[in-house]
Amino acid sequence: MKKLINEVDDVVLESLDGFVAANHRTHQKVNGVNGVIRKAENNKKVSIVLGGGSGHEPVFLGLVGEGMADGAALGSVFASPDPQTILEVIKSAYTDEGTLCLVINYAGDTMNFGMASELAGYEDLKVETALVTDDVASAPKGQEDERRGVAGLLFITKVTGAAAEKGYSLAEVKQIAEKANRLTRTMGIALTPCSLPGSKPNFTIGEDEYEFGMGIHGEPGIKTKKLKAADEIVTEIIEGLVDDLVLQGGDEVAVLVNSTGATTILELNIVFRQVANLLKKQNIHIYDTNIGSFCTSLEMAGVSISIMKLDNELKSLYNEPAYTPYFYRKGNA
Amino acid sequence: MKKLINEVDDVVLESLDGFVAANHRTHQKVNGVNGVIRKAENNKKVSIVLGGGSGHEPVFLGLVGEGMADGAALGSVFASPDPQTILEVIKSAYTDEGTLCLVINYAGDTMNFGMASELAGYEDLKVETALVTDDVASAPKGQEDERRGVAGLLFITKVTGAAAEKGYSLAEVKQIAEKANRLTRTMGIALTPCSLPGSKPNFTIGEDEYEFGMGIHGEPGIKTKKLKAADEIVTEIIEGLVDDLVLQGGDEVAVLVNSTGATTILELNIVFRQVANLLKKQNIHIYDTNIGSFCTSLEMAGVSISIMKLDNELKSLYNEPAYTPYFYRKGNA
């Protein structure tokens, strides 16, 4: 896949420089590492730090902003940021109230965030970590803790960021993150693979096939299937999500229909049409919907659907305003 | 290219249904035709109507919302909406202050919007049309009126929508649209073609080539060139834009770096980094930047860069708040 880049080795830093230049009123780079923080307006709140590999944009740096995250640490494409990068972002975004790191559950990320937290501890910083494990396809029911973190990070950041903004303590903010994670599920499919800058795709998908349950780093899915109508694929995903989250009639949810890259809004809307039809039949009420590219795998064509079950507390936090370069909510819909 | 659709003939209507379902609090479908309007909150303002082929999402329907457009008429993929569809959208969004249609300059669109305006005239509706002609590559300097309309529509809708929201008359709103169009330029390149649902791509681009100045309907560009570093491609585009718009040191501009589909935010940020470097060297001040997918050509990989030169009036209008599903501005940056 041809890409608009200069040198392969400069992709992440140049992209970060461009992001910071475009958002210089609200964001700044962390000195010496590939990280970005929100320009501080309120140092009396818990700060929220995200991080992970590049190539998932707007995740992670595009979710830094008012009512969402305070900083993001970036690794190379599809590779975790190193502990020093994470530590510097934590320190740059740090407040006396402490920092909560929201970490998607991949081995490299959990290890490096763990080391960064330990290093922060040596400097007497209060740093807690909450894992994001929303990807249903990556481990069976009963082993939820082993699941990967994917696009559901958007919802978890939304409510956790709102809790921090409202002045919740570090322990309370962490509880919100853990609760939101327990109530969020994602399933995704891919129509095409993606390729790292300077490389060829690391797997192929046949012209009449799709991958079910692929990872966000270009990992192949758990099943290869014959391509079928969008409505049938969506039915399969929604049945899986409703079952795993044990949703029932009367429940209220937020829905995210996420393009993994090349899939168009034209298609995402067709996907959501069927999501809405299916949930309506089961009397599950969609409180709010987000449709777009939020957690991508470079230019991979595909879609993931995330559902967060809302209780009164999460709904109230969901409704708080949020303004980032790639996600906004005016508040009180 | 594999797509997430059901029947090819149902793509536009199903996608519109999904969009309206997702945005039901703020948007509604126009009865009987493929059109969407904003739920009216203020019928004492000029209404702004957009329209054109599908496949450019979020343009056009995703720019309907507070401070932007009031309605959008949708054609089939890459085909103009028919006059009856446009007329119904105009009537549904109509207010006593009249309607301004912002029309991208393609033969089918100008013809059908022209006929719709004529039909509206028979019903004593005040309807005016302003053409969007921002695509520098589509006709030489001196023949600006013959140029196509592309991603610059975002900026033109932004300031025109703000003028309407502030209570400008139909003639005044039209003047703003025409002025914004005179001060807006776009140039784009493509790395891959795109394919209509159910069809194969209608041209190819070699693995080491890109198209300069392609249209937004999958038309090939005006030149095929050897792929080179992003910075060199951006330099070529920015030189063309600065020259055509006769930008000078001290000028202030808004910039849009737009993905035509599959090009990632990772790459768009690299593109903007070079835009910022080049404009800074010429002492041209970037007042605001938008980076993302706004005016797409299905899943085409490519990028367009738009620049709107800001005078005090346009800057003030640009700063007004705007909230649509795919573009927001909090106001007073």
Side-chain angles (χ1 to χ4, degrees):
Chain A
M1 183 72 178
K2 292 177 279 186
K3 294 185 198 293
L4 284 167
I5 62 171
N6 297 301
E7 296 299 322
V8 168
D9 288 345
D10 299 334
V11 163
V12 173
L13 181 56
E14 288 188 354
S15 187
L16 177 57
D17 282 347
F19 176 86
V20 172
N23 298 284
H24 62 90
R25 284 197 185 79
T26 46
H27 293 68
Q28 65 188 63
K29 192 174 174 304
V30 177
N31 273 340
V33 299
N34 288 341
V36 64
I37 57 167
R38 184 180 158 197
K39 285 188 176 173
E41 291 162 8
N42 177 3
N43 58 9
K44 295 216 164 183
K45 64 179 272 299
V46 171
S47 55
I48 309 293
V49 168
L50 310 177
S54 295
H56 307 300
E57 290 71 22
V59 160
F60 302 86
L61 79 180
L63 303 187
V64 173
E66 189 182 336
M68 298 279 287
D70 299 281
L74 305 175
S76 299
V77 176
F78 293 171
S80 174
D82 59 49
Q84 197 59 38
T85 295
I86 299 167
L87 179 65
E88 291 304 320
V89 173
I90 289 171
K91 286 164 78 170
S92 298
Y94 194 75
T95 73
D96 289 346
E97 306 303 316
T99 294
L100 179 70
C101 297
L102 291 177
V103 184
I104 59 170
N105 191 30
Y106 284 89
D109 293 309
T110 54
M111 184 177 73
N112 289 346
F113 269 92
M115 287 174 66
S117 299
E118 205 176 316
L119 293 170
Y122 297 150
E123 303 191 29
D124 289 327
L125 305 179
K126 289 179 286 183
V127 177
E128 294 284 342
T129 293
L131 287 182
V132 174
T133 60
D134 56 316
D135 184 7
V136 173
S138 57
K141 214 169 165 62
Q143 298 172 37
E144 284 84 357
D145 292 352
E146 293 169 30
R147 288 176 175 171
R148 303 180 293 212
V150 289
L153 176 69
L154 177 76
F155 285 150
I156 295 161
T157 305
K158 173 68 195 77
V159 294
T160 304
E165 209 83 51
K166 285 177 79 74
Y168 286 31
S169 72
L170 181 55
E172 290 165 341
V173 169
K174 184 175 176 176
Q175 274 177 1
I176 293 294
E178 290 176 341
K179 179 188 193 176
N181 183 55
R182 277 197 307 276
L183 295 178
T184 300
R185 298 288 188 283
T186 299
M187 286 178 100
I189 64 107
L191 299 181
T192 68
C194 57
S195 62
L196 269 66
S199 304
K200 292 201 181 299
N202 59 350
F203 66 107
T204 56
I205 306 178
E207 255 316 298
D208 60 344
E209 292 177 338
Y210 71 100
E211 290 279 315
F212 186 84
M214 78 292 174
I216 61 171
H217 301 99
E219 307 96 334
I222 54 171
K223 279 182 266 183
T224 303
K225 299 189 165 201
K226 287 283 169 202
L227 192 58
K228 49 194 177 187
D231 281 359
E232 292 176 60
I233 293 174
V234 172
T235 300
E236 188 175 18
I237 294 174
I238 289 295
E239 282 175 356
L241 293 173
V242 166
D243 179 58
D244 201 85
L245 202 45
V246 198
L247 290 178
Q248 296 176 324
D251 283 344
E252 207 162 27
V253 298
V255 173
L256 167 63
V257 177
N258 174 61
S259 169
T260 59
T263 292
T264 62
I265 293 174
L266 190 74
E267 293 159 89
L268 299 181
N269 284 335
I270 292 172
V271 166
F272 178 70
R273 172 183 167 278
Q274 175 72 345
V275 172
N277 285 342
L278 294 170
L279 294 184
K280 191 173 183 181
K281 272 187 204 153
Q282 299 191 54
N283 196 30
I284 296 164
H285 178 65
I286 300 175
Y287 181 69
D288 192 60
T289 305
N290 300 275
I291 299 176
S293 294
F294 292 97
C295 182
T296 61
S297 301
L298 295 166
E299 76 284 357
M300 176 183 279
V303 67
S304 70
I305 302 174
S306 302
I307 293 182
M308 178 168 67
K309 182 177 169 180
L310 296 169
D311 64 7
N312 288 339
E313 186 181 40
L314 292 187
K315 187 171 163 181
S316 161
L317 293 168
Y318 188 87
N319 265 335
E320 291 291 312
Y323 298 97
T324 76
Y326 293 96
F327 175 83
Y328 85 91
R329 185 166 177 86
K330 263 181 94 179
N332 301 313
Chain B
M1 183 70 177
K2 292 176 279 185
K3 294 186 196 293
L4 284 167
I5 62 171
N6 297 301
E7 296 300 322
V8 169
D9 288 345
D10 298 334
V11 163
V12 173
L13 180 57
E14 288 186 355
S15 187
L16 177 57
D17 282 347
F19 176 86
V20 172
N23 297 284
H24 62 90
R25 283 197 184 79
T26 47
H27 294 68
Q28 64 188 63
K29 191 173 175 303
V30 177
N31 274 340
V33 298
N34 287 341
V36 65
I37 58 167
R38 184 180 156 198
K39 285 189 176 173
E41 288 163 10
N42 177 4
N43 58 10
K44 295 214 164 185
K45 64 179 273 299
V46 170
S47 53
I48 309 293
V49 168
L50 310 176
S54 294
H56 306 301
E57 290 72 20
V59 159
F60 302 86
L61 79 180
L63 303 186
V64 172
E66 190 182 335
M68 297 280 286
D70 300 282
L74 304 175
S76 300
V77 176
F78 292 171
S80 173
D82 59 48
Q84 196 60 39
T85 296
I86 299 167
L87 180 65
E88 291 304 320
V89 172
I90 289 172
K91 288 164 78 170
S92 298
Y94 195 74
T95 73
D96 290 346
E97 306 302 316
T99 295
L100 180 71
C101 298
L102 292 177
V103 184
I104 59 170
N105 192 29
Y106 284 90
D109 292 309
T110 54
M111 185 177 74
N112 289 346
F113 268 93
M115 287 174 67
S117 299
E118 207 177 314
L119 294 170
Y122 297 150
E123 303 191 29
D124 290 326
L125 305 180
K126 290 180 286 183
V127 176
E128 294 283 342
T129 293
L131 287 182
V132 174
T133 60
D134 56 316
D135 184 7
V136 173
S138 56
K141 215 168 164 62
Q143 299 172 36
E144 285 84 357
D145 292 352
E146 294 170 29
R147 288 175 176 171
R148 302 180 292 214
V150 289
L153 175 69
L154 177 77
F155 285 150
I156 295 162
T157 306
K158 173 66 196 77
V159 293
T160 304
E165 208 85 48
K166 284 176 79 72
Y168 286 33
S169 72
L170 180 55
E172 290 165 340
V173 170
K174 183 175 176 175
Q175 274 177 2
I176 292 295
E178 290 175 341
K179 179 188 193 175
N181 183 55
R182 277 197 307 278
L183 295 178
T184 301
R185 296 289 188 284
T186 300
M187 285 177 100
I189 64 107
L191 299 181
T192 68
C194 57
S195 61
L196 269 66
S199 305
K200 292 202 180 299
N202 59 349
F203 67 106
T204 56
I205 306 178
E207 254 315 299
D208 60 344
E209 292 177 337
Y210 70 101
E211 291 279 316
F212 186 83
M214 77 293 173
I216 61 171
H217 301 100
E219 307 97 334
I222 55 172
K223 280 182 264 183
T224 303
K225 299 190 163 200
K226 287 282 169 204
L227 192 59
K228 49 195 176 187
D231 282 358
E232 292 176 60
I233 294 174
V234 172
T235 300
E236 189 175 17
I237 293 174
I238 288 296
E239 283 175 355
L241 293 173
V242 166
D243 180 60
D244 202 86
L245 202 44
V246 199
L247 289 177
Q248 297 176 324
D251 283 344
E252 207 162 27
V253 298
V255 173
L256 167 62
V257 177
N258 174 60
S259 168
T260 60
T263 292
T264 62
I265 293 174
L266 190 74
E267 293 159 271
L268 298 181
N269 284 334
I270 292 172
V271 166
F272 178 70
R273 171 183 169 277
Q274 175 73 344
V275 173
N277 286 341
L278 294 170
L279 294 184
K280 191 174 184 180
K281 272 185 203 155
Q282 300 190 53
N283 196 30
I284 295 163
H285 178 65
I286 299 176
Y287 181 70
D288 192 60
T289 305
N290 300 275
I291 299 176
S293 294
F294 293 97
C295 182
T296 61
S297 300
L298 295 166
E299 76 284 355
M300 176 184 279
V303 67
S304 70
I305 303 175
S306 304
I307 294 184
M308 177 167 69
K309 182 176 167 179
L310 296 168
D311 63 8
N312 287 339
E313 185 181 40
L314 293 187
K315 187 171 162 180
S316 161
L317 292 168
Y318 187 88
N319 265 334
E320 292 291 313
Y323 298 97
T324 77
Y326 293 95
F327 175 83
Y328 85 90
R329 186 166 176 85
K330 260 182 96 179
N332 302 312

